[in-house]
């Protein structure tokens, strides 16, 4: 039987990004002028109660009003983006008929804004558009303002929701934002734990994007810079949230991580989805899974692992062996997790060992990853979850 080798030159790649990204300290104060290009008088601001009560949000609403916009506010009711909340948000936008949709918040709010803006010009419910390229028409003008540094939703064509039977997602250029505004000032009030979880989500996007079979030079470039920025700034932002330089660098890392999603993600995100059963947020689940999936894939992508290791700070000229470089990369992510107070094993989370087979089954059947560089069976996933449970990260 002939062996089939992966040939990256045998693929045609696509790299999609927003029309415009405005970023910098105080960028939010200049949004009023940017919005005038849409020729709309009404702003439909989608956010949540906690964000709305922050000073940056209050100042933003005041700025919009002083620029002559009629501002209507809709507050999200849940932290995680359910498909039901997506429909309720869409109902609000549809009831207003026209306006600029602005999503100001974390990934949950921004994903709801994406779908709500799209459903204003597409009939039916959000459920009808889950999948790849199922949204036929562009929606209302869309602006996204992240208040965390992690999801990269402001630069991706994806929106993820929780349905009755698990995760659902829409992926379409027609939900890509028209304008992304990145202002690190709005992330300063983010507490340490969500700073850690969202930051590791950004790192997961970048590293998984590089590992993906769909990685290409453009995705590789933004992913490597994102990895370096997270490695050098996340711990600082976690320990000192008022460090505006670290917050700025993490905001850019998250945005670049969103762009690296052009390559897609791999097995780590599938594992993260299954960890939601134990109360792990998306970012926390990705953080726990990441070093284990790096280890799982390491031997089939030695050159990529070497580049990841260098972005994570490897500068020891004595390490020129790909296995050593991979071990460095895995241990660097493990160490970062430890410093951020993130568990490296399911056992330490209180997950029963008897759950391993069930988790592996769910991961294999519900969340397949054909872009993962190492092909795997259900038995391979059982072994992976066993290592996740014990925390074994040694690369032999």
């Amino acid at each position: 039987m002939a062996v089939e080798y992966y040939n990256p030159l045998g693929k045609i790649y696509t790299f999609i990004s927003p029309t415009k990204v405005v970023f910098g300290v105080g960028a939010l104060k200049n949004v009023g002028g940017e919005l005038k290009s849409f020729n709309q008088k009404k702003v439909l601001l989608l956010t949540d109660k906690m964000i709305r009560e922050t000073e940056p949000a209050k100042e933003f609403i005041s700025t919009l009003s002083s620029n002559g916009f009629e501002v209507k506010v809709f507050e999200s009711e849940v932290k995680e983006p359910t498909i039901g909340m997506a429909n309720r948000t869409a109902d609000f936008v549809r009831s207003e008929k026209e306006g600029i949709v602005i999503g100001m918040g974390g990934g949950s709010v921004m994903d709801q804004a994406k779908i709500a803006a799209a459903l204003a010009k597409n009939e039916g419910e959000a459920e009808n558009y889950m999948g790849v390229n199922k949204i036929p028409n562009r929606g209302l003008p869309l602006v996204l303002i992240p208040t965390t540094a992690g999801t990269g939703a402001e630069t991706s064509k994806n929106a993820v929701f929780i349905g009755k039977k698990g995760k659902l997602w829409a992926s379409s250029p027609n939900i890509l934002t028209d304008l992304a505004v990145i202002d690190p000032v709005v992330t300063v009030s983010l507490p340490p734990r969500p700073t850690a979880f969202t930051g590791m989500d950004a790192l997961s996007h970048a590293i998984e994007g590089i590992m993906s079979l769909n990685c290409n030079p453009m995705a590789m470039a933004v992913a490597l810079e994102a990895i370096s920025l997270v490695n050098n700034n996340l711990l600082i932002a976690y320990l000192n949230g008022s460090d505006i330089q670290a917050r700025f660098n993490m905001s850019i890392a998250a945005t670049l991580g969103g762009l690296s999603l052009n390559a897609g993600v791999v097995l780590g995100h599938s594992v993260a989805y299954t960890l939601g059963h134990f109360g792990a947020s998306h970012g926390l689940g990705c953080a726990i899974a990441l070093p284990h999936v790096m280890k799982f894939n390491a031997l089939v992508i030695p050159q990529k692992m070497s580049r990841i290791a260098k972005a994570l700070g490897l500068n020891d000229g004595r390490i020129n062996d790909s296995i050593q470089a991979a071990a460095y990369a895995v241990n660097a992510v493990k160490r970062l997790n430890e410093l951020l107070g993130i568990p490296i094993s399911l056992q330490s989370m209180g997950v029963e060992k008897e759950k391993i087979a069930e988790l592996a089954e769910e991961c294999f059947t519900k969340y397949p990853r054909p872009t993962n560089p190492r092909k795997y069976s259900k038995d391979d996933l059982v072994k992976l979850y066993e290592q996740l449970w014990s925390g074994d990260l040694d690369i032999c």
Side-chain angles (χ1 to χ4, degrees):
M1 180 177 177
V3 177
E4 293 185 8
Y5 291 95
Y6 172 67
N7 177 16
L9 297 181
K11 296 175 66 71
I12 302 297
Y13 300 95
T14 300
F15 190 90
I16 301 175
S17 61
T19 302
K20 191 172 186 178
V21 178
V22 176
F23 59 94
V25 176
L28 205 55
K29 296 179 180 179
N30 299 315
V31 173
E34 295 285 346
L35 297 184
K36 290 180 179 179
S37 64
F38 293 113
N39 296 316
Q40 297 276 349
K41 293 295 184 181
K42 186 189 298 184
V43 165
L44 310 178
L45 178 61
L46 313 181
T47 186
D48 61 41
K49 184 176 180 61
M50 186 176 296
I51 295 299
R52 186 180 183 179
E53 293 178 350
T54 64
E55 284 305 313
K58 291 177 181 177
E59 292 177 6
F60 177 56
I61 294 173
S62 177
T63 297
L64 292 175
S65 298
S66 65
N67 276 271
F69 291 101
E70 177 189 2
V71 183
K72 300 288 188 70
V73 181
F74 181 85
E75 293 181 2
S76 176
E77 302 168 3
V78 292
K79 292 183 179 180
E80 294 292 336
T82 65
I83 200 73
M85 193 64 224
N87 282 319
R88 289 194 290 277
T89 307
D91 288 343
F92 163 75
V93 172
R94 281 171 166 166
S95 70
E96 297 294 334
K97 295 183 173 56
E98 293 294 337
I100 304 167
V101 176
I102 300 182
M104 184 178 187
S108 173
V109 168
M110 290 190 286
D111 283 354
Q112 290 173 47
K114 289 178 179 181
I115 287 296
L119 290 185
K121 300 295 182 180
N122 293 276
E123 296 181 353
E125 302 295 306
E127 294 92 330
N128 304 135
Y129 299 104
M130 296 298 107
V132 179
N133 294 330
K134 290 189 175 181
I135 302 175
N137 306 313
R138 283 289 296 177
L140 293 178
L142 176 64
V143 178
L144 297 178
I145 304 170
T147 59
T148 65
T151 69
E154 67 274 10
T155 51
S156 81
K157 61 177 181 176
N158 308 314
V160 182
F161 302 97
I162 299 173
K164 293 181 180 179
K165 297 182 179 180
K167 295 280 186 174
L168 301 169
W169 53 88
S171 180
S172 169
N174 284 333
I175 59 173
L176 204 63
T177 186
D178 298 292
L179 172 66
V181 182
I182 318 300
D183 189 339
V185 171
V186 302
T187 70
V188 168
S189 61
L190 194 66
R193 284 179 65 79
T195 294
F197 299 163
T198 55
M200 289 303 295
D201 190 18
L203 185 64
S204 296
H205 292 158
I207 291 179
E208 290 194 39
I210 290 175
M211 289 193 288
S212 170
L213 292 179
N214 284 338
C215 188
N216 58 75
M218 295 181 70
M220 174 72 79
V222 294
L224 288 172
E225 180 64 10
I227 293 169
S228 178
L229 287 170
V230 173
N231 186 57
N232 292 320
N233 293 277
L234 178 53
L235 187 59
I236 298 172
Y238 171 76
L239 295 173
N240 181 13
S242 62
D243 189 313
I244 195 65
Q245 182 67 63
R247 291 293 194 181
F248 173 81
N249 289 337
M250 283 305 304
S251 293
I252 296 302
T255 299
L256 294 176
L259 288 173
S260 73
L261 288 174
N262 274 275
V265 289
V266 295
L267 190 53
H269 269 62
S270 297
V271 171
Y273 292 160
T274 69
L275 300 186
H277 297 303
F278 308 101
S281 67
H282 176 70
L284 175 57
C286 287
I288 295 168
L290 181 58
H292 291 276
V293 171
M294 291 169 67
K295 172 189 173 181
F296 182 80
N297 287 327
L299 297 184
V300 300
I301 49 170
Q303 292 182 333
K304 286 184 176 182
M305 289 301 294
S306 293
R307 298 190 73 175
I308 291 170
K310 290 179 180 178
L312 286 167
L314 175 62
N315 57 13
D316 191 341
R318 295 171 297 177
I319 297 181
N320 51 24
D321 177 86
S322 61
I323 295 179
Q324 289 180 313
Y328 174 93
V330 169
N331 284 319
V333 174
K334 172 188 174 184
R335 179 60 175 159
L336 184 55
N337 272 344
E338 290 173 335
L339 292 171
L340 296 170
I342 292 171
I344 62 165
S345 72
L346 300 186
Q347 183 180 17
S348 64
M349 293 175 59
V351 178
E352 298 174 354
K353 194 172 184 178
E354 290 72 20
K355 293 286 186 180
I356 286 176
E358 181 181 329
L359 291 170
E361 171 72 20
E362 180 185 9
C363 186
F364 186 79
T365 57
K366 293 183 68 174
Y367 308 117
R369 294 290 174 181
T371 55
N372 197 75
R374 176 178 167 182
K375 302 306 176 187
Y376 55 87
S377 64
K378 194 183 302 182
D379 288 340
D380 291 326
L381 291 186
V382 169
K383 293 177 183 177
L384 172 61
Y385 275 96
E386 287 175 346
Q387 293 178 354
L388 268 163
W389 188 84
S390 67
D392 176 17
L393 284 168
D394 291 334
I395 294 182
C396 300

